[in-house]
Amino acid sequence: AERIMNQLWDLYIASGKDPELKPSARTFNLVINSIARSREPRCGDRAATLLNKMEELYTAGDDEMKPEAQTFGAIINAYANDGPNDPQSTDKAAQVLQQMNSLYQLGYDTMKPTTFVYNACLNAFAKSEANAHQATQLLEIMEDQYAKGDLSVKPDVISYSTCINAHANSRTLQSGPMADALLKRMIQRYLVEGDGDVKPNAVACTATIKAWMASVDAAPQKDSPVVKMAAERTQEILTNMCLQYLAGDPDQKPTKVTFELVQEALMKSGDEEGAKCIATLKKRILESNLPRREGS
């Protein structure tokens, strides 16, 4: 995609700048997205180079090349995908978000970060083991701005699930409790405030269970209180998922991984009987194909 765009640009120049051959902002955005999704080494920097090119053209007077929020979001996604190759990718993603906020404050309305952009940055934090705190802070910024009336940055189920995953990947003793607090916030907003955009699903619940297992792995001793706490809480979350699924909500259907994580938690706490019960429940749930209830 990048090669074809470069060839198109060469043709545009060679033709004396025939407007029918000129790559558009949409052309750049398509290539940036392609690079971001490639997960190739340094895809973040490659995508950012194209963004810089767009900014240069726009500054030089080409109004058609004005970058928009979706372009910046794609760059942030590229850095999120480039974490294994670039140890600075998380910082670079945060810098792009900060750049957007600065441009928006200067009067560039199309630069305003949206929920999509914030979620992309949360994803970058989630893929790094040491950025759970930054992810939580970013989510709180979204919550605060939304509470003040900014609907464009309203946190959704992806926002919370990604932040929960950040805690799961942090692998600390506090991973489970911190993730669980976020899940409970989702439940509060969904049940009490009626916000359907943050309805907890199997992804959010499984990520919370994964976070509790991260706490178990970080426990200094096998008989640490966190081991028993993780077993009890993960079993509670899984049971609630199964009940809701059996009641007709397909979004709550646990996966094989969900069951295996809870079985592991129970075994590590010494509850072999509980682990056997989960195995029986797994067979029933995974082999079922319930009809979708109305309104789901």
Side-chain angles (χ1 to χ4, degrees), residues 41-76:
R42 301 293 171 175
C43 63
D45 288 340
R46 283 179 63 195
T49 298
L50 293 181
L51 173 61
N52 292 337
K53 178 67 174 178
M54 293 180 71
E55 290 178 324
E56 289 174 7
L57 292 169
Y58 177 67
T59 302
D62 189 345
D63 292 339
E64 295 180 359
M65 286 296 173
K66 184 178 182 180
E68 297 186 351
Q70 296 294 321
T71 310
F72 283 82
I75 302 295
I76 293 173

PDB file of all heavy atoms in Angstrom, residues 41-76:
ATOM      1  N   PRO A  41       7.993  -4.542  12.604  1.00  0.00           N
ATOM      2  CA  PRO A  41       8.873  -3.751  13.459  1.00  0.00           C
ATOM      3  C   PRO A  41       8.904  -2.281  13.050  1.00  0.00           C
ATOM      4  O   PRO A  41       9.002  -1.955  11.879  1.00  0.00           O
ATOM      5  CB  PRO A  41      10.245  -4.419  13.265  1.00  0.00           C
ATOM      6  CG  PRO A  41       9.908  -5.837  12.929  1.00  0.00           C
ATOM      7  CD  PRO A  41       8.661  -5.760  12.096  1.00  0.00           C
ATOM      8  N   ARG A  42       8.789  -1.407  14.049  1.00  0.00           N
ATOM      9  CA  ARG A  42       8.821   0.041  13.882  1.00  0.00           C
ATOM     10  C   ARG A  42       7.664   0.565  13.034  1.00  0.00           C
ATOM     11  O   ARG A  42       7.778   1.614  12.385  1.00  0.00           O
ATOM     12  CB  ARG A  42      10.154   0.468  13.250  1.00  0.00           C
ATOM     13  CG  ARG A  42      11.370   0.069  14.068  1.00  0.00           C
ATOM     14  CD  ARG A  42      11.439   0.821  15.381  1.00  0.00           C
ATOM     15  NE  ARG A  42      12.490   0.302  16.268  1.00  0.00           N
ATOM     16  CZ  ARG A  42      12.822   0.837  17.433  1.00  0.00           C
ATOM     17  NH1 ARG A  42      12.165   1.887  17.871  1.00  0.00           N
ATOM     18  NH2 ARG A  42      13.763   0.314  18.174  1.00  0.00           N
ATOM     19  N   CYS A  43       6.551  -0.162  13.037  1.00  0.00           N
ATOM     20  CA  CYS A  43       5.395   0.298  12.271  1.00  0.00           C
ATOM     21  C   CYS A  43       4.889   1.636  12.808  1.00  0.00           C
ATOM     22  O   CYS A  43       4.335   2.440  12.049  1.00  0.00           O
ATOM     23  CB  CYS A  43       4.291  -0.751  12.263  1.00  0.00           C
ATOM     24  SG  CYS A  43       3.591  -1.144  13.883  1.00  0.00           S
ATOM     25  N   GLY A  44       5.077   1.878  14.106  1.00  0.00           N
ATOM     26  CA  GLY A  44       4.641   3.146  14.678  1.00  0.00           C
ATOM     27  C   GLY A  44       5.390   4.321  14.087  1.00  0.00           C
ATOM     28  O   GLY A  44       4.782   5.314  13.665  1.00  0.00           O
ATOM     29  N   ASP A  45       6.708   4.220  14.024  1.00  0.00           N
ATOM     30  CA  ASP A  45       7.512   5.311  13.464  1.00  0.00           C
ATOM     31  C   ASP A  45       7.239   5.481  11.974  1.00  0.00           C
ATOM     32  O   ASP A  45       7.233   6.613  11.459  1.00  0.00           O
ATOM     33  CB  ASP A  45       8.999   5.040  13.697  1.00  0.00           C
ATOM     34  CG  ASP A  45       9.410   5.221  15.155  1.00  0.00           C
ATOM     35  OD1 ASP A  45       8.662   5.903  15.898  1.00  0.00           O
ATOM     36  OD2 ASP A  45      10.464   4.694  15.549  1.00  0.00           O
ATOM     37  N   ARG A  46       7.015   4.376  11.273  1.00  0.00           N
ATOM     38  CA  ARG A  46       6.714   4.455   9.832  1.00  0.00           C
ATOM     39  C   ARG A  46       5.406   5.213   9.608  1.00  0.00           C
ATOM     40  O   ARG A  46       5.308   6.064   8.723  1.00  0.00           O
ATOM     41  CB  ARG A  46       6.610   3.063   9.220  1.00  0.00           C
ATOM     42  CG  ARG A  46       7.943   2.372   8.971  1.00  0.00           C
ATOM     43  CD  ARG A  46       7.730   0.988   8.396  1.00  0.00           C
ATOM     44  NE  ARG A  46       7.076   1.031   7.108  1.00  0.00           N
ATOM     45  CZ  ARG A  46       6.525  -0.030   6.518  1.00  0.00           C
ATOM     46  NH1 ARG A  46       6.535  -1.199   7.136  1.00  0.00           N
ATOM     47  NH2 ARG A  46       5.969   0.081   5.333  1.00  0.00           N
ATOM     48  N   ALA A  47       4.405   4.881  10.407  1.00  0.00           N
ATOM     49  CA  ALA A  47       3.120   5.561  10.283  1.00  0.00           C
ATOM     50  C   ALA A  47       3.247   7.037  10.660  1.00  0.00           C
ATOM     51  O   ALA A  47       2.661   7.909  10.005  1.00  0.00           O
ATOM     52  CB  ALA A  47       2.084   4.879  11.170  1.00  0.00           C
ATOM     53  N   ALA A  48       4.033   7.329  11.695  1.00  0.00           N
ATOM     54  CA  ALA A  48       4.226   8.714  12.127  1.00  0.00           C
ATOM     55  C   ALA A  48       4.926   9.536  11.056  1.00  0.00           C
ATOM     56  O   ALA A  48       4.667  10.742  10.914  1.00  0.00           O
ATOM     57  CB  ALA A  48       5.025   8.744  13.429  1.00  0.00           C
ATOM     58  N   THR A  49       5.805   8.913  10.286  1.00  0.00           N
ATOM     59  CA  THR A  49       6.494   9.615   9.196  1.00  0.00           C
ATOM     60  C   THR A  49       5.494  10.117   8.166  1.00  0.00           C
ATOM     61  O   THR A  49       5.617  11.240   7.649  1.00  0.00           O
ATOM     62  CB  THR A  49       7.521   8.689   8.515  1.00  0.00           C
ATOM     63  OG1 THR A  49       8.513   8.307   9.473  1.00  0.00           O
ATOM     64  CG2 THR A  49       8.208   9.384   7.354  1.00  0.00           C
ATOM     65  N   LEU A  50       4.488   9.303   7.864  1.00  0.00           N
ATOM     66  CA  LEU A  50       3.460   9.724   6.917  1.00  0.00           C
ATOM     67  C   LEU A  50       2.610  10.847   7.491  1.00  0.00           C
ATOM     68  O   LEU A  50       2.193  11.761   6.770  1.00  0.00           O
ATOM     69  CB  LEU A  50       2.580   8.533   6.526  1.00  0.00           C
ATOM     70  CG  LEU A  50       3.263   7.435   5.709  1.00  0.00           C
ATOM     71  CD1 LEU A  50       2.268   6.333   5.361  1.00  0.00           C
ATOM     72  CD2 LEU A  50       3.860   8.008   4.434  1.00  0.00           C
ATOM     73  N   LEU A  51       2.343  10.784   8.792  1.00  0.00           N
ATOM     74  CA  LEU A  51       1.604  11.866   9.437  1.00  0.00           C
ATOM     75  C   LEU A  51       2.390  13.172   9.337  1.00  0.00           C
ATOM     76  O   LEU A  51       1.819  14.237   9.048  1.00  0.00           O
ATOM     77  CB  LEU A  51       1.331  11.529  10.902  1.00  0.00           C
ATOM     78  CG  LEU A  51       0.712  12.644  11.751  1.00  0.00           C
ATOM     79  CD1 LEU A  51      -0.646  13.052  11.202  1.00  0.00           C
ATOM     80  CD2 LEU A  51       0.591  12.209  13.201  1.00  0.00           C
ATOM     81  N   ASN A  52       3.700  13.094   9.557  1.00  0.00           N
ATOM     82  CA  ASN A  52       4.544  14.286   9.450  1.00  0.00           C
ATOM     83  C   ASN A  52       4.494  14.861   8.038  1.00  0.00           C
ATOM     84  O   ASN A  52       4.490  16.086   7.850  1.00  0.00           O
ATOM     85  CB  ASN A  52       5.993  13.950   9.825  1.00  0.00           C
ATOM     86  CG  ASN A  52       6.146  13.618  11.298  1.00  0.00           C
ATOM     87  OD1 ASN A  52       5.327  14.030  12.125  1.00  0.00           O
ATOM     88  ND2 ASN A  52       7.179  12.865  11.629  1.00  0.00           N
ATOM     89  N   LYS A  53       4.451  13.965   7.043  1.00  0.00           N
ATOM     90  CA  LYS A  53       4.365  14.400   5.650  1.00  0.00           C
ATOM     91  C   LYS A  53       3.052  15.148   5.409  1.00  0.00           C
ATOM     92  O   LYS A  53       3.037  16.202   4.741  1.00  0.00           O
ATOM     93  CB  LYS A  53       4.462  13.183   4.732  1.00  0.00           C
ATOM     94  CG  LYS A  53       4.327  13.498   3.244  1.00  0.00           C
ATOM     95  CD  LYS A  53       5.491  14.299   2.719  1.00  0.00           C
ATOM     96  CE  LYS A  53       5.397  14.481   1.213  1.00  0.00           C
ATOM     97  NZ  LYS A  53       6.501  15.308   0.665  1.00  0.00           N
ATOM     98  N   MET A  54       1.958  14.620   5.947  1.00  0.00           N
ATOM     99  CA  MET A  54       0.667  15.290   5.810  1.00  0.00           C
ATOM    100  C   MET A  54       0.703  16.670   6.463  1.00  0.00           C
ATOM    101  O   MET A  54       0.201  17.651   5.904  1.00  0.00           O
ATOM    102  CB  MET A  54      -0.433  14.448   6.457  1.00  0.00           C
ATOM    103  CG  MET A  54      -0.729  13.143   5.763  1.00  0.00           C
ATOM    104  SD  MET A  54      -2.045  12.207   6.602  1.00  0.00           S
ATOM    105  CE  MET A  54      -3.488  13.225   6.210  1.00  0.00           C
ATOM    106  N   GLU A  55       1.312  16.756   7.640  1.00  0.00           N
ATOM    107  CA  GLU A  55       1.378  18.029   8.351  1.00  0.00           C
ATOM    108  C   GLU A  55       2.217  19.042   7.581  1.00  0.00           C
ATOM    109  O   GLU A  55       1.882  20.233   7.531  1.00  0.00           O
ATOM    110  CB  GLU A  55       1.957  17.816   9.745  1.00  0.00           C
ATOM    111  CG  GLU A  55       1.028  17.051  10.694  1.00  0.00           C
ATOM    112  CD  GLU A  55       1.645  16.813  12.052  1.00  0.00           C
ATOM    113  OE1 GLU A  55       2.863  16.575  12.120  1.00  0.00           O
ATOM    114  OE2 GLU A  55       0.898  16.853  13.046  1.00  0.00           O
ATOM    115  N   GLU A  56       3.309  18.575   6.952  1.00  0.00           N
ATOM    116  CA  GLU A  56       4.149  19.463   6.148  1.00  0.00           C
ATOM    117  C   GLU A  56       3.377  20.022   4.957  1.00  0.00           C
ATOM    118  O   GLU A  56       3.456  21.224   4.648  1.00  0.00           O
ATOM    119  CB  GLU A  56       5.385  18.704   5.656  1.00  0.00           C
ATOM    120  CG  GLU A  56       6.397  18.380   6.743  1.00  0.00           C
ATOM    121  CD  GLU A  56       7.523  17.491   6.220  1.00  0.00           C
ATOM    122  OE1 GLU A  56       7.554  17.250   4.981  1.00  0.00           O
ATOM    123  OE2 GLU A  56       8.350  17.045   7.028  1.00  0.00           O
ATOM    124  N   LEU A  57       2.632  19.151   4.288  1.00  0.00           N
ATOM    125  CA  LEU A  57       1.848  19.578   3.128  1.00  0.00           C
ATOM    126  C   LEU A  57       0.756  20.561   3.549  1.00  0.00           C
ATOM    127  O   LEU A  57       0.494  21.550   2.863  1.00  0.00           O
ATOM    128  CB  LEU A  57       1.233  18.365   2.439  1.00  0.00           C
ATOM    129  CG  LEU A  57       2.229  17.415   1.750  1.00  0.00           C
ATOM    130  CD1 LEU A  57       1.549  16.110   1.339  1.00  0.00           C
ATOM    131  CD2 LEU A  57       2.840  18.093   0.522  1.00  0.00           C
ATOM    132  N   TYR A  58       0.116  20.261   4.681  1.00  0.00           N
ATOM    133  CA  TYR A  58      -0.950  21.139   5.159  1.00  0.00           C
ATOM    134  C   TYR A  58      -0.392  22.507   5.553  1.00  0.00           C
ATOM    135  O   TYR A  58      -0.963  23.556   5.219  1.00  0.00           O
ATOM    136  CB  TYR A  58      -1.659  20.495   6.351  1.00  0.00           C
ATOM    137  CG  TYR A  58      -2.726  21.367   6.957  1.00  0.00           C
ATOM    138  CD1 TYR A  58      -3.880  21.680   6.248  1.00  0.00           C
ATOM    139  CD2 TYR A  58      -2.579  21.889   8.255  1.00  0.00           C
ATOM    140  CE1 TYR A  58      -4.872  22.489   6.809  1.00  0.00           C
ATOM    141  CE2 TYR A  58      -3.557  22.693   8.814  1.00  0.00           C
ATOM    142  CZ  TYR A  58      -4.699  22.991   8.090  1.00  0.00           C
ATOM    143  OH  TYR A  58      -5.669  23.790   8.632  1.00  0.00           O
ATOM    144  N   THR A  59       0.753  22.508   6.236  1.00  0.00           N
ATOM    145  CA  THR A  59       1.389  23.764   6.640  1.00  0.00           C
ATOM    146  C   THR A  59       1.811  24.579   5.428  1.00  0.00           C
ATOM    147  O   THR A  59       1.791  25.821   5.449  1.00  0.00           O
ATOM    148  CB  THR A  59       2.621  23.473   7.532  1.00  0.00           C
ATOM    149  OG1 THR A  59       2.215  22.709   8.673  1.00  0.00           O
ATOM    150  CG2 THR A  59       3.272  24.765   8.006  1.00  0.00           C
ATOM    151  N   ALA A  60       2.181  23.871   4.347  1.00  0.00           N
ATOM    152  CA  ALA A  60       2.617  24.546   3.118  1.00  0.00           C
ATOM    153  C   ALA A  60       1.446  25.099   2.310  1.00  0.00           C
ATOM    154  O   ALA A  60       1.656  25.715   1.259  1.00  0.00           O
ATOM    155  CB  ALA A  60       3.435  23.583   2.265  1.00  0.00           C
ATOM    156  N   GLY A  61       0.217  24.860   2.785  1.00  0.00           N
ATOM    157  CA  GLY A  61      -0.932  25.432   2.115  1.00  0.00           C
ATOM    158  C   GLY A  61      -1.888  24.448   1.479  1.00  0.00           C
ATOM    159  O   GLY A  61      -2.880  24.851   0.861  1.00  0.00           O
ATOM    160  N   ASP A  62      -1.613  23.169   1.611  1.00  0.00           N
ATOM    161  CA  ASP A  62      -2.497  22.159   1.025  1.00  0.00           C
ATOM    162  C   ASP A  62      -3.578  21.794   2.039  1.00  0.00           C
ATOM    163  O   ASP A  62      -3.417  20.903   2.872  1.00  0.00           O
ATOM    164  CB  ASP A  62      -1.684  20.911   0.640  1.00  0.00           C
ATOM    165  CG  ASP A  62      -2.496  19.911  -0.170  1.00  0.00           C
ATOM    166  OD1 ASP A  62      -3.739  20.040  -0.194  1.00  0.00           O
ATOM    167  OD2 ASP A  62      -1.895  19.003  -0.784  1.00  0.00           O
ATOM    168  N   ASP A  63      -4.702  22.497   1.975  1.00  0.00           N
ATOM    169  CA  ASP A  63      -5.771  22.305   2.958  1.00  0.00           C
ATOM    170  C   ASP A  63      -6.370  20.903   2.913  1.00  0.00           C
ATOM    171  O   ASP A  63      -6.953  20.442   3.906  1.00  0.00           O
ATOM    172  CB  ASP A  63      -6.877  23.338   2.726  1.00  0.00           C
ATOM    173  CG  ASP A  63      -6.412  24.755   3.055  1.00  0.00           C
ATOM    174  OD1 ASP A  63      -5.421  24.880   3.806  1.00  0.00           O
ATOM    175  OD2 ASP A  63      -7.015  25.716   2.544  1.00  0.00           O
ATOM    176  N   GLU A  64      -6.249  20.227   1.756  1.00  0.00           N
ATOM    177  CA  GLU A  64      -6.821  18.889   1.628  1.00  0.00           C
ATOM    178  C   GLU A  64      -6.067  17.854   2.467  1.00  0.00           C
ATOM    179  O   GLU A  64      -6.569  16.758   2.689  1.00  0.00           O
ATOM    180  CB  GLU A  64      -6.816  18.453   0.163  1.00  0.00           C
ATOM    181  CG  GLU A  64      -7.718  19.294  -0.729  1.00  0.00           C
ATOM    182  CD  GLU A  64      -7.681  18.838  -2.169  1.00  0.00           C
ATOM    183  OE1 GLU A  64      -6.918  17.870  -2.456  1.00  0.00           O
ATOM    184  OE2 GLU A  64      -8.389  19.414  -3.003  1.00  0.00           O
ATOM    185  N   MET A  65      -4.870  18.201   2.927  1.00  0.00           N
ATOM    186  CA  MET A  65      -4.046  17.259   3.677  1.00  0.00           C
ATOM    187  C   MET A  65      -4.154  17.457   5.189  1.00  0.00           C
ATOM    188  O   MET A  65      -3.324  16.956   5.941  1.00  0.00           O
ATOM    189  CB  MET A  65      -2.572  17.387   3.256  1.00  0.00           C
ATOM    190  CG  MET A  65      -2.279  16.797   1.913  1.00  0.00           C
ATOM    191  SD  MET A  65      -2.554  15.000   1.916  1.00  0.00           S
ATOM    192  CE  MET A  65      -2.346  14.648   0.173  1.00  0.00           C
ATOM    193  N   LYS A  66      -5.168  18.142   5.619  1.00  0.00           N
ATOM    194  CA  LYS A  66      -5.333  18.403   7.044  1.00  0.00           C
ATOM    195  C   LYS A  66      -5.583  17.104   7.802  1.00  0.00           C
ATOM    196  O   LYS A  66      -6.582  16.421   7.578  1.00  0.00           O
ATOM    197  CB  LYS A  66      -6.504  19.354   7.262  1.00  0.00           C
ATOM    198  CG  LYS A  66      -6.704  19.784   8.714  1.00  0.00           C
ATOM    199  CD  LYS A  66      -7.848  20.769   8.813  1.00  0.00           C
ATOM    200  CE  LYS A  66      -8.041  21.248  10.247  1.00  0.00           C
ATOM    201  NZ  LYS A  66      -9.161  22.216  10.349  1.00  0.00           N
ATOM    202  N   PRO A  67      -4.676  16.703   8.715  1.00  0.00           N
ATOM    203  CA  PRO A  67      -4.896  15.471   9.499  1.00  0.00           C
ATOM    204  C   PRO A  67      -6.087  15.636  10.433  1.00  0.00           C
ATOM    205  O   PRO A  67      -6.370  16.738  10.899  1.00  0.00           O
ATOM    206  CB  PRO A  67      -3.589  15.308  10.287  1.00  0.00           C
ATOM    207  CG  PRO A  67      -2.599  16.195   9.603  1.00  0.00           C
ATOM    208  CD  PRO A  67      -3.398  17.332   9.042  1.00  0.00           C
ATOM    209  N   GLU A  68      -6.774  14.553  10.714  1.00  0.00           N
ATOM    210  CA  GLU A  68      -7.908  14.579  11.622  1.00  0.00           C
ATOM    211  C   GLU A  68      -7.682  13.590  12.762  1.00  0.00           C
ATOM    212  O   GLU A  68      -6.688  12.863  12.783  1.00  0.00           O
ATOM    213  CB  GLU A  68      -9.190  14.264  10.862  1.00  0.00           C
ATOM    214  CG  GLU A  68      -9.513  15.305   9.788  1.00  0.00           C
ATOM    215  CD  GLU A  68     -10.852  15.060   9.138  1.00  0.00           C
ATOM    216  OE1 GLU A  68     -11.457  13.996   9.402  1.00  0.00           O
ATOM    217  OE2 GLU A  68     -11.301  15.919   8.357  1.00  0.00           O
ATOM    218  N   ALA A  69      -8.624  13.562  13.687  1.00  0.00           N
ATOM    219  CA  ALA A  69      -8.474  12.736  14.882  1.00  0.00           C
ATOM    220  C   ALA A  69      -8.263  11.269  14.540  1.00  0.00           C
ATOM    221  O   ALA A  69      -7.461  10.577  15.188  1.00  0.00           O
ATOM    222  CB  ALA A  69      -9.708  12.901  15.774  1.00  0.00           C
ATOM    223  N   GLN A  70      -8.957  10.764  13.516  1.00  0.00           N
ATOM    224  CA  GLN A  70      -8.825   9.358  13.151  1.00  0.00           C
ATOM    225  C   GLN A  70      -7.403   9.029  12.699  1.00  0.00           C
ATOM    226  O   GLN A  70      -6.908   7.926  12.936  1.00  0.00           O
ATOM    227  CB  GLN A  70      -9.821   9.022  12.028  1.00  0.00           C
ATOM    228  CG  GLN A  70     -11.285   9.155  12.431  1.00  0.00           C
ATOM    229  CD  GLN A  70     -11.680   8.141  13.487  1.00  0.00           C
ATOM    230  OE1 GLN A  70     -11.261   6.998  13.469  1.00  0.00           O
ATOM    231  NE2 GLN A  70     -12.502   8.561  14.438  1.00  0.00           N
ATOM    232  N   THR A  71      -6.751  10.006  12.046  1.00  0.00           N
ATOM    233  CA  THR A  71      -5.366   9.795  11.610  1.00  0.00           C
ATOM    234  C   THR A  71      -4.454   9.608  12.817  1.00  0.00           C
ATOM    235  O   THR A  71      -3.645   8.677  12.871  1.00  0.00           O
ATOM    236  CB  THR A  71      -4.878  11.002  10.781  1.00  0.00           C
ATOM    237  OG1 THR A  71      -5.829  11.309   9.767  1.00  0.00           O
ATOM    238  CG2 THR A  71      -3.535  10.691  10.131  1.00  0.00           C
ATOM    239  N   PHE A  72      -4.596  10.492  13.789  1.00  0.00           N
ATOM    240  CA  PHE A  72      -3.779  10.395  15.004  1.00  0.00           C
ATOM    241  C   PHE A  72      -4.089   9.103  15.765  1.00  0.00           C
ATOM    242  O   PHE A  72      -3.191   8.475  16.323  1.00  0.00           O
ATOM    243  CB  PHE A  72      -4.031  11.607  15.901  1.00  0.00           C
ATOM    244  CG  PHE A  72      -3.337  12.857  15.449  1.00  0.00           C
ATOM    245  CD1 PHE A  72      -3.884  13.656  14.449  1.00  0.00           C
ATOM    246  CD2 PHE A  72      -2.133  13.238  16.007  1.00  0.00           C
ATOM    247  CE1 PHE A  72      -3.252  14.809  14.030  1.00  0.00           C
ATOM    248  CE2 PHE A  72      -1.483  14.392  15.593  1.00  0.00           C
ATOM    249  CZ  PHE A  72      -2.046  15.187  14.604  1.00  0.00           C
ATOM    250  N   GLY A  73      -5.365   8.724  15.781  1.00  0.00           N
ATOM    251  CA  GLY A  73      -5.740   7.475  16.443  1.00  0.00           C
ATOM    252  C   GLY A  73      -5.069   6.280  15.807  1.00  0.00           C
ATOM    253  O   GLY A  73      -4.638   5.344  16.504  1.00  0.00           O
ATOM    254  N   ALA A  74      -4.953   6.289  14.489  1.00  0.00           N
ATOM    255  CA  ALA A  74      -4.283   5.189  13.786  1.00  0.00           C
ATOM    256  C   ALA A  74      -2.798   5.141  14.148  1.00  0.00           C
ATOM    257  O   ALA A  74      -2.218   4.055  14.284  1.00  0.00           O
ATOM    258  CB  ALA A  74      -4.455   5.349  12.277  1.00  0.00           C
ATOM    259  N   ILE A  75      -2.172   6.313  14.305  1.00  0.00           N
ATOM    260  CA  ILE A  75      -0.761   6.365  14.702  1.00  0.00           C
ATOM    261  C   ILE A  75      -0.589   5.751  16.088  1.00  0.00           C
ATOM    262  O   ILE A  75       0.326   4.960  16.343  1.00  0.00           O
ATOM    263  CB  ILE A  75      -0.242   7.813  14.711  1.00  0.00           C
ATOM    264  CG1 ILE A  75      -0.409   8.470  13.333  1.00  0.00           C
ATOM    265  CG2 ILE A  75       1.221   7.851  15.155  1.00  0.00           C
ATOM    266  CD1 ILE A  75       0.404   7.853  12.239  1.00  0.00           C
ATOM    267  N   ILE A  76      -1.477   6.127  16.995  1.00  0.00           N
ATOM    268  CA  ILE A  76      -1.418   5.580  18.352  1.00  0.00           C
ATOM    269  C   ILE A  76      -1.600   4.065  18.323  1.00  0.00           C
ATOM    270  O   ILE A  76      -0.911   3.331  19.034  1.00  0.00           O
ATOM    271  CB  ILE A  76      -2.478   6.244  19.245  1.00  0.00           C
ATOM    272  CG1 ILE A  76      -2.139   7.728  19.444  1.00  0.00           C
ATOM    273  CG2 ILE A  76      -2.561   5.556  20.602  1.00  0.00           C
ATOM    274  CD1 ILE A  76      -3.209   8.515  20.181  1.00  0.00           C
TER     275      ILE A  76
END
